[in-house]
Amino acid sequence: MGGTMLGPQGGNPERQLGGVDFILHRAAELYPDRVAIDDRLNGSRLTYADLRRRSIQLARALELLGVGKGDVVASAFRNEAMAFEVLFACCMLGAVTAPINTRLAPAEARKYLDRIGAFAFVGLHSLHVFVEGTGVRHTVLRGEFGSVLPDGVREYEKLLAAHSGEPFPARAGWSDPYFICMTGGTTGGSKGAAASHASVLLDMLAIANHWTIRNGYRALCCAPVYHAAGLSWACMPLLWQGGTLVFPAIAAFDPVAFLRIVAEEGIDTFFIVPAMVGPLHEKWDGVPMTGVKSVALASAPVPEPLREKVAEMFPAADALVCYGMTECLMISSQQPKDFLQHGESSGEPALTARVRILDDAGLQVPRGTPGNVVTRTFGQALRYQNDPANTAVTFRPCPGDPETLDWLYTGDVGFLDDGGRITLLDRAKDIIISGGENVASAEVESVLALHAKVRECAVIGLADEKWGEMVCAVIVTADGTDEPGLAKELLSLCRERLAGYKAPKRFVFTAALPRSAFGKVLKRELRGQKFATAFDAATLRA
């Protein structure tokens, strides 16, 4: 019967005050004069002391406008310092920050802002149109306005200048919501996943453990910070280690500028999506960049040819592939030694994650057997904001689970190998059923990617009277080639390495694949697209 029962008085909730802003307070105390953010988009360099002071000033200004604990503050910035000032200001107030994709159409943004219940909006002056007609109560904009501000709008820098940078008592607790992050929206409109301070902090610690991120590292940051990976993976663990975030001078990804900065400015680490690898390799001068210490890739499968290009360009770097979702943050991460040795996998479950593979009845399947990937992570979201229906579908117990815990149903199909590594085969919605057989589009894509002329590709299912669905390969070539000879070579390659029913029955060529702002291919758009150049396999074999 051992142990002393603790009543409510034993919980010490005041000792659980403080959230993600802990990262900034710690760094500003230890390294006040270190550059935290080198914001080349705006031509500014903020030390940790600067970033803390300005974040406190903004917090005081927002509080005077009525922003309090639990209120949702939407922010719309590119990769620039202000995105972090808003984030840390909200943390200090106990408010909830909601980064918004700056590339949204105004109608999309308005719908999303109302869905998540945004109380205030802080963003670029050019995005004022996002809040028109919404329920947003307060708008703070940064930019050049001339002499007249729009009605009801406050100017960012003037607002900061009017307030003190002295710290004030902590408002947020570990279990309070920290941010609402937009999901990728590859199968429909984006939802807002709300995560707590504790869940995100634990996820950041896992990132720092799995990736090679050391004190004072300089990171080149191109992944958008309104994306969970771009913010919580590519940036925040660096700030926790007193590092420097370098934001490029242009918002769009420029492979030439990226390579120049990496080669000439002592960049230690960076996070990229697979779609960046091809353009980087094409512009690379062939001189290995041995100063890079770590490279991480995520957001989509990374075929072996892309992994080989990364290893060729950055031979001294610990390179790895990781797997995660906005709804739960990190699910798995490779060990660097597995980057080339296990080119099909996404690594073992992260320190913060458990993973199960289930059949359609919800029962676990043996190792090596494909099934539905479900996970339970410390980074798991609290909910989809104001969306109980989708929350109930995505977060639910596994049948027969004695722990009765909520697991995240990822919508991905994959398997665990004997070493516990996860291999993703496809999104469940992207499994093609052709002639009664299941075809994983990612498996076909990895074979097509082996051809030297294929820059990138996507495999989709198209309605077909005979087969139910036809396997169709959409190809982007490195040199613009789209002749039947190349299609015939690709068909032969697939038939050599895949079962006959998996080989594409149609090859189409296009200049670029449609992608979300997170770098994911929008296959729903491809399915409805008309292509000028198409070759049927039956004709190619004739």
Side-chain angles (χ1 to χ4, degrees):
M1 301 291 294
T4 300
M5 296 296 291
L6 291 178
Q9 74 277 7
N12 296 319
E14 71 282 356
R15 298 183 192 174
Q16 297 180 33
L17 283 176
V20 173
D21 51 315
F22 173 94
I23 293 171
L24 179 58
H25 292 308
R26 175 184 182 274
E29 290 162 0
L30 288 174
Y31 321 112
D33 298 325
R34 277 192 195 175
V35 174
I37 299 178
D38 183 353
D39 178 358
R40 300 180 182 186
L41 196 62
N42 294 290
S44 66
R45 289 162 61 89
L46 294 184
T47 65
Y48 279 99
D50 294 332
L51 181 58
R52 186 191 195 199
R53 172 181 49 79
R54 286 175 59 84
S55 299
I56 293 170
Q57 288 175 294
L58 179 59
R60 290 183 179 277
L62 291 175
E63 185 176 40
L64 200 61
L65 294 178
V67 175
K69 186 171 181 177
D71 287 331
V72 177
V73 178
S75 66
F77 289 100
R78 298 158 299 186
N79 281 20
E80 49 195 322
M82 284 65 67
F84 291 84
E85 292 169 0
V86 177
L87 182 150
F88 286 123
C90 288
C91 291
M92 295 171 190
L93 291 174
V96 186
T97 184
I100 304 293
N101 183 345
T102 58
R103 297 170 61 187
L104 292 179
E108 291 178 297
R110 293 169 192 145
K111 183 178 179 181
Y112 182 77
L113 288 171
D114 280 337
R115 186 189 309 149
I116 63 173
F119 178 80
F121 176 89
V122 186
L124 299 170
H125 75 286
S126 58
L127 299 178
H128 179 235
V129 65
F130 278 12
V131 300
E132 292 176 357
T134 68
V136 171
R137 298 272 299 277
H138 299 284
T139 301
V140 179
L141 302 179
R142 186 182 189 278
E144 299 297 330
F145 297 97
S147 57
V148 180
L149 283 173
D151 289 342
V153 171
R154 291 163 176 86
E155 203 277 319
Y156 188 94
E157 293 296 342
K158 290 182 179 177
L159 206 59
L160 262 68
H163 293 276
S164 163
E166 286 297 313
F168 53 84
R171 312 285 170 79
W174 296 351
S175 61
D176 290 330
Y178 151 64
F179 75 174
I180 299 169
C181 207
M182 299 183 73
T183 64
T186 54
T187 58
S190 288
K191 298 179 281 291
S196 71
H197 285 266
S199 67
V200 173
L201 286 167
L202 284 167
D203 189 73
M204 292 175 196
L205 287 174
I207 292 289
N209 173 79
H210 289 295
W211 298 4
T212 304
I213 300 174
R214 299 288 181 263
N215 187 283
Y217 269 18
R218 287 167 54 81
L220 181 56
C221 305
C222 289
V225 295
Y226 49 73
H227 182 357
L231 176 63
S232 295
W233 294 2
C235 293
M236 295 300 286
L238 270 296
L239 295 179
W240 206 334
Q241 290 277 42
T244 298
L245 307 181
V246 178
F247 293 142
I250 57 174
F253 173 61
D254 180 344
V256 174
F258 186 101
L259 291 168
R260 180 190 58 76
I261 294 171
V262 169
E264 298 177 4
E265 299 191 29
I267 296 299
D268 298 294
T269 186
F270 52 81
F271 167 90
I272 55 176
V273 298
M276 295 177 176
V277 175
L280 286 171
H281 195 264
E282 288 171 12
K283 300 297 183 182
W284 178 49
D285 62 7
V287 178
M289 287 176 276
T290 55
V292 177
K293 301 178 180 67
S294 63
V295 177
L297 298 97
S299 93
V302 188
E304 290 184 51
L306 292 186
R307 294 175 187 237
E308 290 167 358
K309 289 175 180 177
V310 170
E312 187 183 4
M313 290 186 286
F314 312 106
D318 284 345
L320 53 84
V321 169
C322 52
Y323 162 48
M325 294 177 63
T326 305
E327 289 88 341
C328 61
L329 302 178
M330 177 172 267
I331 298 173
S332 70
S333 179
Q334 281 190 314
Q335 299 179 50
K337 67 182 179 63
D338 288 342
F339 184 67
L340 295 178
Q341 292 181 15
H342 294 279
E344 73 290 343
S345 91
S346 299
E348 300 175 13
L351 287 179
T352 46
R354 295 166 63 186
V355 171
R356 293 178 179 175
I357 309 296
L358 308 180
D359 62 19
D360 289 340
L363 303 176
Q364 290 194 69
V365 300
R367 292 282 178 97
T369 304
N372 301 299
V373 180
V374 301
T375 186
R376 181 174 173 82
T377 78
F378 279 131
Q380 202 149 296
L382 301 167
R383 59 184 174 272
Y384 290 127
Q385 184 76 353
N386 298 330
D387 192 349
N390 277 313
T391 299
V393 169
T394 303
F395 303 94
R396 50 194 165 93
C398 297
D401 181 3
E403 294 178 283
T404 66
L405 299 169
D406 270 1
W407 289 66
L408 169 68
Y409 284 69
T410 66
D412 291 324
V413 174
F415 64 87
L416 288 174
D417 67 17
D418 289 338
R421 292 174 289 264
I422 301 169
T423 295
L424 295 175
L425 298 175
D426 223 326
R427 293 287 295 169
K429 291 182 172 64
D430 289 334
I431 292 289
I432 302 164
I433 304 176
S434 184
E437 298 282 1
N438 286 356
V439 180
S441 60
E443 182 182 11
V444 184
E445 288 163 358
S446 17
V447 171
L448 292 167
L450 295 172
H451 197 289
K453 287 189 176 181
V454 174
R455 178 172 178 178
E456 55 182 350
C457 62
V459 171
I460 57 175
L462 299 178
D464 184 80
E465 288 185 9
K466 181 178 180 181
W467 302 104
E469 282 189 297
M470 171 199 298
V471 180
C472 175
V474 185
I475 308 294
V476 178
T477 60
D479 59 1
T481 304
D482 61 2
E483 77 272 2
L486 176 56
K488 193 167 186 176
E489 291 176 21
L490 293 172
L491 177 61
S492 297
L493 179 64
C494 288
R495 294 188 72 83
E496 286 171 10
R497 294 173 175 265
L498 299 168
Y501 67 86
K502 296 180 181 179
K505 293 180 172 62
R506 179 171 295 168
F507 293 85
V508 299
F509 294 87
T510 188
L513 298 178
R515 294 183 180 273
S516 72
F518 310 105
K520 296 183 179 181
V521 176
L522 298 174
K523 291 190 175 182
R524 69 178 186 274
E525 291 190 11
L526 284 176
R527 293 185 188 102
Q529 195 169 326
K530 293 183 179 180
F531 299 94
T533 309
F535 303 101
D536 286 337
T539 304
L540 295 170
R541 289 196 299 267

